[in-house]
Amino acid sequence: MEVIIKRDAEEVSSEAAAIFRRQLKQKPQSVLGLATGSTPLGLYKRLVAMARAGELDASRATSFNLDEYLGLPGTHPQSYAAYMREHLFQHLPVARWHIPDGMAQDIPKHCAEYEADIRAAGGIDLQLLGLGSDGHIGFNEPGSSLGSRTRLKTLTAQTVADNARHFASPAEVPRQVVTMGIGTILDARHCLVLAFGERKAQAVAAMVEGPVTAMVPASVLQMHPVCTLIIDEAAAAQLQRREYYQWVYENKPAWQRG
Ligand code: GLP
């Protein structure tokens, strides 16, 4: 795993945007795995600005979102479908986008179809991920099978509380979700994880330097051959080897810088 520590959230988002730009330049028909939450907002703003400046073209790309709340239609303002339209797709259209349908009648069938659609698209080239404060990725809460595929999950009380800020009251946060599984995420060719703020420092340390365990789903990314973690200094605060990660980054050979 490559760990890149930047001064603040702005710099994290810029570095991540450069990775997206490079990916789309190398492969305009890329399959992108997209995430929601507050973490990707700065990145999405930059991608939109880059597209407006003619520096990035996502018009031939396909996207798959990680997750969606169960029982929220795409018209609900807190659905991830509404989030994606508002923050990305209405400004930066991709050729085809996919988001799990929280209103699907037959959830297991829908999940199997979502997996089949990812496979039919050729698999995910670049998967963006945020990090839950309990170390979850997508909505794969602690204890999720490390081999799991897209399926229904029940949120922890902690995640409900964390995400309640987006809803009128905690009671309105759906308890269940549809999420890509950890196995689905691990199939992506490149995983890009972003995190900022003190609130994520413990999860970042457990993900990077702790044991690989289902209790910290993000720790499984230690097994991924191409994973980039970009964090700010506050989120890096509990890393024991932060100086080494900075040293590696500063001494990167020119050909690896892209
Ligand atoms: C939710 C999402 C995750 C996201 C996490 C962190 O649980 N399903 O994909 O990474 O929240 O949220 P935030 O970026 O707002 O801190």
Side-chain angles (χ1 to χ4, degrees):
M1 184 186 306
E2 181 181 21
V3 181
I4 301 176
I5 302 168
K6 292 284 169 182
R7 195 158 7 117
D8 52 29
E10 294 278 300
E11 285 191 13
V12 171
S13 299
S14 300
E15 185 92 8
I19 292 176
F20 268 81
R21 179 172 52 193
R22 216 159 38 236
Q23 174 69 40
L24 286 164
K25 199 166 174 207
Q26 277 166 7
K27 185 177 174 188
Q29 301 97 326
S30 288
V31 179
L32 306 173
L34 298 177
T36 48
S38 47
T39 304
L41 290 174
L43 162 65
Y44 291 158
K45 266 196 194 128
R46 275 167 184 73
L47 295 181
V48 170
M50 281 174 172
R52 289 195 176 134
E55 294 167 17
L56 174 141
D57 179 11
S59 64
R60 292 162 71 192
T62 297
S63 71
F64 287 91
N65 264 74
L66 282 165
D67 45 19
E68 179 59 284
Y69 289 110
L70 200 74
L72 293 195
T75 48
H76 189 289
Q78 299 313 328
S79 70
Y80 285 162
Y83 170 107
M84 290 308 296
R85 270 197 310 276
E86 179 185 346
H87 298 292
L88 198 66
F89 298 145
Q90 67 171 341
H91 313 288
L92 178 69
V94 295
R96 276 169 301 277
W97 55 263
H98 307 76
I99 300 176
D101 179 3
M103 298 298 285
Q105 289 299 308
D106 185 338
I107 295 290
K109 180 165 173 264
H110 177 60
C111 293
E113 284 168 1
Y114 203 70
E115 290 279 333
D117 287 347
I118 295 173
R119 277 195 305 277
I124 293 172
D125 293 302
L126 176 61
Q127 175 65 59
L128 176 65
L129 296 159
L131 193 58
S133 62
D134 58 3
H136 73 239
I137 45 176
F139 265 136
N140 294 283
E141 296 285 28
S144 292
S145 155
L146 299 184
S148 52
R149 313 302 305 189
T150 303
R151 71 214 183 291
L152 179 142
K153 279 296 286 182
T154 300
L155 299 180
T156 60
Q158 155 114 53
T159 300
V160 170
D162 283 353
N163 291 359
R165 66 189 193 279
H166 303 294
F167 290 80
S169 77
E172 282 187 28
V173 184
R175 271 31 181 182
Q176 289 173 317
V177 295
V178 174
T179 181
M180 276 188 204
I182 297 178
T184 321
I185 292 168
L186 285 176
D187 283 348
R189 294 179 187 96
H190 181 184
C191 286
L192 172 62
V193 190
L194 310 182
F196 2 90
E198 211 185 327
R199 195 167 68 88
K200 301 290 174 75
Q202 201 181 342
V204 164
M207 166 188 171
V208 180
E209 294 176 342
V212 174
T213 167
M215 291 309 288
V216 181
S219 66
V220 76
L221 293 164
Q222 292 175 29
M223 312 277 294
H224 194 284
V226 191
C227 178
T228 309
L229 169 68
I230 316 180
I231 52 181
D232 67 356
E233 283 174 2
Q238 292 186 34
L239 286 172
Q240 285 174 26
R241 287 165 49 93
R242 54 183 293 186
E243 281 170 19
Y244 176 65
Y245 308 135
Q246 267 158 332
W247 166 262
V248 171
Y249 184 68
E250 282 155 19
N251 289 285
K252 232 171 155 175
W255 64 268
Q256 276 191 337
R257 290 182 180 272

